[in-house]
Amino acid sequence: MNAYVYGYGPEGKERLIVVDLGVTFPDMDTTPGVDLIMADLAWLEENVDRIDAIFITHAHEDHIGALPHWWPRLRKPVYARKFTARIGTMKLEEAGHPSDTVTVVEPRPQVIEAGPFKVQFVPLSHSIPESSALLIDSPAGRVVHTGDFKLDGNPIVGEPFDPLLWHEIAHEAGGVKVLVCDSTNVFSPNPGRSEATLAEPLRDFIAAQKGMVVATTFASNIARLKTLAEAGRAAGRSVCLLGRAMKKMVAAAEETGVLTGMPGTVSPEEALEIPRENLLLLVTGSQGERRAATAQLSRGKYLGLELKSGDSFLFSSRVIPGNERPVIRIINNFSEMGVDVFDDTSGLYHVSGHANRPDLEAVHDLLRPKILIPMHGEHRHLRKHAKIARAKGIAAEVATNGTMLDLSGEAPRVVEYIEAGRTYLDGSVLIGSMDGVVRDRIRMALNGQVLITVIIDEDDQPLGEPWVEMVGLPTRGRTGMDLTKQIEEELADFLERASEKIIASDEKLDEAMRRISRQVTMEEIGKKPEVVVVVSRLMAE
């Protein structure tokens, strides 16, 4: 859910720029039925007249995924590099927004002026093409906002990390005042490895397999897809891409010129005619996503293709914390089919797209910032990164969601906390996380639901008996009697005894009938369901 705001100017009247508009993904335990989760930008909406521009560092969903959902409310110029702009434009077009919303920016030395800010995109290596840091210059000094990055001199696709360029940046314009820096791998003690180191192990792995080979990785990891495809072709295999997101990413990379020399691929229909031992499938779903190609293959066929005993499946990726259960479920499904599953336990088939601790410290030493603000990590990552910086004599501050920092002095100073909740995309509608919609959905899932309907005539007398419908509850309880009939009988008995004052009040009827139905279900099945009471009153003409 990356969304950062920089401001400069008189207090309360600062001109603002926004850096990234990302999403995170829901889970069935805490956000059932939700499609996407993004930051609550209510504060930005309140101050929309002060925003001069939106900058997107790269095309990963946690940095660009909220753009089509929030841009209509902000309606400010959007700047991104070529590949990122293509992905952003595709998202905006799918949502029905103008295709010319995103302006393509060339890397440094091009400068974008946005209010008091002068912004440059500086190439960095990451696990997606054209990831860029932002140089944000203002009268108060220079901020380097790294975005996501690693130190890779040969990333296969995209630009390498250029230490000479960064040395130049560190020694101009009075140096770097503030480094706002990726903290994802701060606990990894060894220097990061290059994407190029995977080529030989992947080539050897695919060449050694006898049956069909299927490999999954992040759909946006264009360099990995190219390496896998080249390894497949070297082993004499035809390559087939499966999954809408992967095909879109490869197409965008080729259209914008960031991907060249990608081995040709075959369609799923053509793959069906190719002998299994001559086929490599590259598929989406490395995180166990239920509707992605990997999960569908683990449940049977996908576009007519299926895995069989003797085939091999490779996870050329790491499991993001929180996704372990669906991934393990898929692995077990493949195991039942007789498919051999391989992952990165050996460290041969995946490298991270983020800088490890020695790499982060190298960047500290290269840029020599006066202030460091850790970003992109859990609280423990941010805290550790801040400790490392302070040990080097760099002032640092852990800024949790909603923290407003004054960076104009010698050390960062917390000046305000902004309400920073979450917004859910639920179907096609944006709702607040505290609106109660998802809470009620969870309650219904956990406790079931009872719907009670009662009709009251013109004389405020019950017309017939109430009737009950249940969802998500057992039909019989402790006594073995039909639970629906038990509730209806108790409610009918209550209506016979109820006073005119209660019968005349929808509120009192609702309260009493809820209480009775919950008492019955608690005694019979040990649950207190969600209860909906519908009172229909007939009116005299």
Side-chain angles (χ1 to χ4, degrees), residues 174-493:
V176 175
K177 179 161 190 177
V178 183
L179 175 62
V180 182
C181 191
D182 183 0
S183 307
T184 309
N185 283 0
V186 70
F187 288 108
S188 299
N190 300 313
R193 293 159 51 218
S194 170
E195 182 72 26
T197 63
L198 300 181
E200 186 176 345
L202 288 173
R203 189 165 56 246
D204 292 345
F205 170 81
I206 293 174
Q209 307 311 308
K210 303 301 182 185
M212 184 168 69
V213 178
V214 184
T216 185
T217 189
F218 298 99
S220 58
N221 196 335
I222 303 299
R224 188 71 49 79
L225 293 175
K226 182 180 181 182
T227 300
L228 284 163
E230 289 176 339
R233 292 302 294 269
R237 293 176 181 264
S238 298
V239 180
C240 178
L241 301 181
L242 292 181
R244 179 170 169 264
M246 189 174 286
K247 291 178 180 178
K248 282 174 58 177
M249 282 288 178
V250 170
E254 290 181 330
E255 289 169 11
T256 55
V258 300
L259 174 62
T260 58
M262 175 77 173
T265 59
V266 299
S267 69
E269 293 77 16
E270 292 170 325
L272 289 169
E273 305 301 321
I274 296 171
R276 308 180 69 76
E277 64 273 14
N278 295 334
L279 192 59
L280 168 66
L281 306 182
L282 300 181
V283 302
T284 55
S286 65
Q287 301 306 303
E289 300 94 324
R290 194 176 66 83
R291 291 179 291 182
T294 293
Q296 295 203 49
L297 285 169
S298 77
R299 295 193 295 267
K301 291 185 178 182
Y302 180 65
L303 299 180
L305 294 160
E306 62 181 325
L307 280 82
K308 297 180 179 179
S309 180
D311 291 338
S312 301
F313 192 99
L314 171 66
F315 284 90
S316 183
S317 56
R318 73 176 182 91
V319 180
I320 295 173
N323 294 337
E324 295 88 352
R325 285 167 59 187
V327 171
I328 290 172
R329 187 180 305 118
I330 285 170
I331 292 172
N332 281 319
N333 287 348
F334 283 143
S335 180
E336 291 178 9
M337 296 178 184
V339 175
D340 295 320
V341 179
F342 302 84
D343 58 25
D344 189 51
T345 305
S346 63
L348 293 175
Y349 309 126
H350 176 67
V351 294
S352 174
H354 296 272
N356 292 353
R357 174 173 174 167
D359 309 319
L360 293 173
E361 294 201 53
V363 171
H364 299 171
D365 297 339
L366 180 61
L367 298 183
R368 298 183 179 278
K370 297 179 177 64
I371 296 172
L372 182 133
I373 306 300
M375 69 168 176
H376 208 280
E378 299 169 7
H379 192 278
R380 62 193 180 98
H381 297 86
L382 308 183
R383 185 164 174 259
K384 181 66 174 179
H385 200 171
K387 281 186 175 182
I388 293 169
R390 293 187 189 113
K392 291 171 170 283
I394 303 170
E397 183 66 57
V398 174
T400 53
N401 293 341
T403 304
M404 183 184 290
L405 296 173
D406 179 354
L407 303 175
S408 61
E410 294 299 312
R413 184 170 61 92
V414 177
V415 293
E416 193 175 344
Y417 289 97
I418 303 301
E419 186 70 31
R422 294 183 169 204
T423 298
Y424 297 154
L425 178 66
D426 193 49
S428 59
V429 180
L430 294 179
I431 62 173
S433 62
M434 304 303 290
D435 289 358
V437 175
V438 175
R439 179 195 61 210
D440 290 345
R441 191 174 294 163
I442 292 171
R443 285 178 174 174
M444 284 190 285
L446 293 175
N447 302 316
Q449 184 184 56
V450 172
L451 173 64
I452 302 168
T453 304
V454 62
I455 299 176
I456 307 297
D457 67 15
E458 302 93 328
D459 300 320
D460 282 342
Q461 295 297 315
L463 186 62
E465 295 184 344
W467 68 90
V468 170
E469 297 177 60
M470 301 191 309
V471 178
L473 292 168
T475 56
R476 299 182 186 277
R478 178 178 55 83
T479 60
M481 297 174 60
D482 185 288
L483 185 56
T484 299
K485 289 184 178 179
Q486 281 186 277
I487 299 173
E488 289 175 341
E489 289 173 2
E490 290 291 333
L491 292 175
D493 184 55

